[in-house]
């Protein structure tokens, strides 16, 4: 990790001019495979006594820069780029949980993650125990000897209640359970490792890419979780891996640094299941990452102005944004988002579902899409789209009411954003 600030790391970490050409832009290494120097070299790479490029399903020099850059920005030691945010969520759990195991998960999560955890993991014999994140003690209550991880989103929509990262990470440390944070909605403005999280993951599709052109994900290892001290809980890191010449990941990683978790994810899960990020997408994400700090500033500033505008509008029932929160929920937003409240918010219009849908249909500049974190402003009606797979009880638990509209406030001029909202509200 370097001592530079995040904005500087976003431009420089992990790369300094291509040694053979001098290229300042990170080259796109659009190759499947890499010439070995000789058979000894190839053998050393395969047995992991030397780290190097073998095959792009497992590693690639363009992806490597993205991984190093985001790991450094996050305050971690290593990262693994994958094909989507979904693949990142899947691998982050699958890397340490087997059939018969469980993990405890905040009920305030993205609908796609909820489906993956509730249904696909169930089919694999891994149980997701969903708990209300408002009370951190719920994580303790759901923990038993087979609990392998805690999982949550920093700034979940549609509740927009910031997760108690430090409180839950501390409970996890008592039991030797690592906290995995999906920080997709709060890059730069929240650093989960500073508050005790062990692993972060991102859908790079959103703010990190920032331009709505590529699907990707990344898992970042803080290097701080002591897998060895808690090895009783992690047979997959402690026992010889029959899929890799009997490697014991806690031991195999020792000469390479505190990277047992991310090393195993790369050379077993990514090798076997193959959800690799395309090098071209890694290049596009690198372009996005260069400006993510600047963009986040504008997203947050614009969202504050939109929240103030909507709050005083007669057709608005409620604005769901940290600036409108109180008490412990607000305190968490202040603690973990450092005074910035992110670019996402919810608005509940008077008139329920019909009013919400009519509002979306009248928007002219906002795009009506199933996405967040684009530079452009976006809107959607979650109950009939992103969260449509949830039953009524699950919807309420996730904080989705019928008239709820989710807004992802972009970096356009604030006057134009408010003008579009204003005309769609019928003024
Ligand atoms: N995590 C969050 C918070 C998301 O909003 C999303 C997608 O919307 C994902 C994960 C999944 O990411 P992807 O669409 O890149 O698979």
């Amino acid at each position: 990790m370097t001592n530079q600030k995040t904005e500087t790391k976003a431009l420089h970490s992990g790369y300094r001019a291509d040694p053979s050409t001098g290229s300042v832009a990170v080259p796109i290494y659009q190759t499947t495979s890499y010439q070995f120097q000789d058979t000894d070299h190839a053998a050393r790479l395969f047995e992991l006594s030397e780290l190097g490029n073998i095959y792009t399903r497992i590693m690639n020099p363009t992806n490597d820069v993205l991984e190093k850059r985001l790991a450094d920005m996050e305050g971690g030691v290593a990262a693994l780029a994958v094909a989507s945010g979904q693949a990142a969520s899947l691998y982050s759990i699958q890397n340490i949980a087997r059939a018969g195991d469980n993990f405890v998960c905040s009920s305030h999560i993205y609908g796609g993650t909820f489906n993956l955890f509730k249904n696909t993991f169930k089919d694999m014999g891994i149980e997701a125990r969903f708990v209300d994140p408002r009370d951190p003690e719920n994580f303790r209550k759901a923990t038993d000897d087979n609990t392998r991880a805690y999982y949550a989103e920093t700034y979940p929509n549609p509740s927009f209640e910031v997760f108690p990262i430090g409180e839950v990470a501390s409970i996890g440390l008592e039991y030797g359970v690592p906290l995995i944070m999906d920080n997709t909605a709060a890059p730069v403005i929240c650093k989960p490792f500073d508050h005790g999280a062990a692993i972060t993951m991102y859908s790079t599709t959103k703010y990190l890419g920032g331009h709505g052109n590529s699907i990707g994900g990344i898992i970042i290892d803080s290097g701080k979780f002591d897998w060895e001290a808690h090895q009783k809980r992690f047979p997959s890191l402690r026992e010889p891996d029959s899929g890799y010449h009997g490697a014991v990941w806690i031991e195999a990683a020792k000469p390479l640094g505190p990277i047992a978790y991310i090393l195993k994810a790369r050379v077993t899960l990514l090798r076997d299941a193959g959800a690799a990020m395309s090098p071209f997408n890694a290049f596009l994400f690198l372009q996005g990452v260069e400006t993510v700090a600047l963009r986040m500033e504008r997203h947050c500033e614009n969202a504050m102005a939109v929240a103030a505008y909507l709050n005083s509008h007669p057709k608005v029932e409620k604005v769901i944004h940290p600036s409108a929160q109180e008490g412990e929920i607000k305190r968490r937003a202040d603690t973990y988002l450092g005074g910035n409240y992110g670019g996402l918010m919810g608005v509940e219009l008077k008139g329920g579902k019909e009013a919400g849908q009519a509002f979306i249909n009248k928007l002219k500049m906002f795009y009506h899409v199933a996405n967040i974190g684009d530079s452009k402003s976006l809107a959607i009606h979650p109950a009939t789209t992103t969260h449509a797979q949830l039953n009524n009880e699950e919807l309420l638990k996730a904080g989705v009411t019928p008239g709820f509209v989710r807004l992802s406030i972009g970096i356009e001029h604030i006057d134009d954003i408010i003008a579009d909202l204003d005309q769609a509200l019928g003024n």
Side-chain angles (χ1 to χ4, degrees):
M1 212 198 322
T2 62
N3 288 326
Q4 291 168 331
K5 306 283 186 222
T6 306
E7 291 82 347
T8 313
K9 291 177 178 183
L11 292 155
H12 294 288
S13 288
Y15 182 78
R16 181 80 197 169
D18 181 63
S20 54
T21 63
S23 170
V24 172
V26 178
I28 305 172
Y29 287 93
Q30 197 69 30
T31 182
T32 54
S33 39
Y34 306 85
Q35 165 80 356
F36 303 124
Q37 291 155 16
D38 51 37
T39 51
D40 286 345
H41 176 232
R44 286 197 304 279
L45 296 182
F46 273 80
E47 73 186 17
L48 299 179
S49 61
E50 183 180 326
L51 287 187
N53 296 317
I54 298 175
Y55 189 60
T56 282
R57 172 158 27 86
I58 315 168
M59 71 284 280
N60 173 280
T62 311
N63 299 25
D64 183 58
V65 177
L66 180 70
E67 289 163 348
K68 289 199 167 91
R69 190 158 293 179
L70 287 173
D72 201 27
M73 287 168 68
E74 196 78 356
V77 291
L80 180 69
V82 291
S84 66
Q86 286 299 98
S89 308
L90 173 80
Y91 288 176
S92 74
I93 295 292
Q94 218 181 7
N95 201 34
I96 44 178
R98 294 169 169 175
D101 294 342
N102 68 72
F103 63 104
V104 186
C105 184
S106 164
S107 58
H108 290 194
I109 51 167
Y110 165 58
T113 313
F114 183 81
N115 272 325
L116 167 69
F117 287 180
K118 185 181 171 217
N119 301 313
T120 304
F121 271 132
K122 189 174 168 205
D123 290 345
M124 297 192 300
I126 299 170
E127 182 197 358
R129 298 182 171 174
F130 295 100
V131 297
D132 188 335
R134 292 184 188 108
D135 182 0
E137 287 299 314
N138 288 336
F139 281 78
R140 186 195 304 280
K141 286 178 200 152
T143 304
D144 65 19
D145 288 347
N146 293 329
T147 302
R148 302 289 174 248
Y150 294 160
Y151 188 102
E153 281 179 26
T154 304
Y155 187 50
N157 75 83
S159 77
F160 302 106
E161 293 178 9
V162 172
F163 185 76
I165 305 173
E167 293 86 333
V168 175
S170 301
I171 294 172
L173 283 184
E174 288 179 44
Y175 297 93
V177 175
L179 172 62
I180 302 172
M181 288 304 305
D182 178 342
N183 203 41
T184 297
V188 184
I189 61 175
C190 178
K191 297 275 171 62
F193 295 160
D194 291 351
H195 307 289
I199 307 292
T200 55
M201 59 75 46
Y202 287 89
S203 163
T204 52
T205 314
K206 317 297 179 188
Y207 289 105
L208 288 173
H211 297 82
N213 55 29
S214 323
I215 302 284
I218 196 154
I219 309 171
I220 306 175
D221 189 338
S222 68
K224 290 185 194 137
F225 190 82
D226 195 341
W227 304 101
E228 192 165 10
H230 303 297
Q231 58 177 286
K232 250 180 86 181
R233 243 182 224 287
F234 303 105
S236 59
L237 296 176
R238 171 194 83 213
E239 291 172 357
D241 190 335
S242 58
Y244 218 104
H245 319 301
V248 172
W249 296 112
I250 289 173
E251 297 303 324
K254 275 187 182 158
L256 307 168
I259 60 163
Y261 174 93
I262 212 80
L263 178 68
K264 175 182 180 286
R266 181 186 299 283
V267 302
T268 65
L269 282 180
L270 190 59
R271 179 199 62 176
D272 298 347
M277 179 184 283
S278 132
F280 184 66
N281 281 5
F283 173 81
L284 292 173
F285 290 131
L286 282 164
Q287 311 314 302
V289 167
E290 288 199 355
T291 57
V292 67
L294 266 180
R295 283 185 284 107
M296 286 310 290
E297 267 180 43
R298 180 61 70 88
H299 282 296
C300 294
E301 190 185 305
N302 281 352
M304 283 295 284
V306 169
Y309 161 78
L310 290 173
N311 243 326
S312 60
H313 198 285
K315 293 191 179 166
V316 169
E317 185 73 46
K318 194 172 162 196
V319 171
I320 303 111
H321 183 254
S323 61
Q325 291 165 351
E326 293 174 343
E328 179 59 12
I329 300 297
K330 176 83 185 317
R331 187 200 65 77
R332 287 177 191 160
D334 289 334
T335 303
Y336 297 117
L337 301 186
N340 301 292
Y341 293 147
L344 307 177
M345 70 178 66
V347 57
E348 224 175 286
L349 299 178
K350 290 179 182 161
K353 185 175 161 190
E354 288 71 27
Q357 289 183 309
F359 168 70
I360 286 194
N361 287 334
K362 279 198 214 150
L363 286 167
K364 289 187 177 140
M365 187 183 78
F366 275 67
Y367 278 94
H368 176 202
V369 291
N371 195 20
I372 55 167
D374 196 316
S375 297
K376 304 170 190 77
S377 289
L378 318 172
I380 200 162
H381 182 242
T384 52
T385 55
T386 52
H387 288 64
Q389 304 304 317
L390 277 59
N391 63 35
N392 281 345
E393 194 194 337
E394 289 164 348
L395 277 174
L396 278 183
K397 260 195 189 167
V400 179
T401 54
F404 180 94
V405 172
R406 182 184 74 197
L407 300 176
S408 175
I409 304 300
I411 60 171
E412 300 95 341
H413 195 286
I414 187 60
D415 293 352
D416 296 319
I417 295 175
I418 292 191
D420 196 31
L421 294 170
D422 210 48
Q423 65 79 24
L425 283 167
N427 282 356

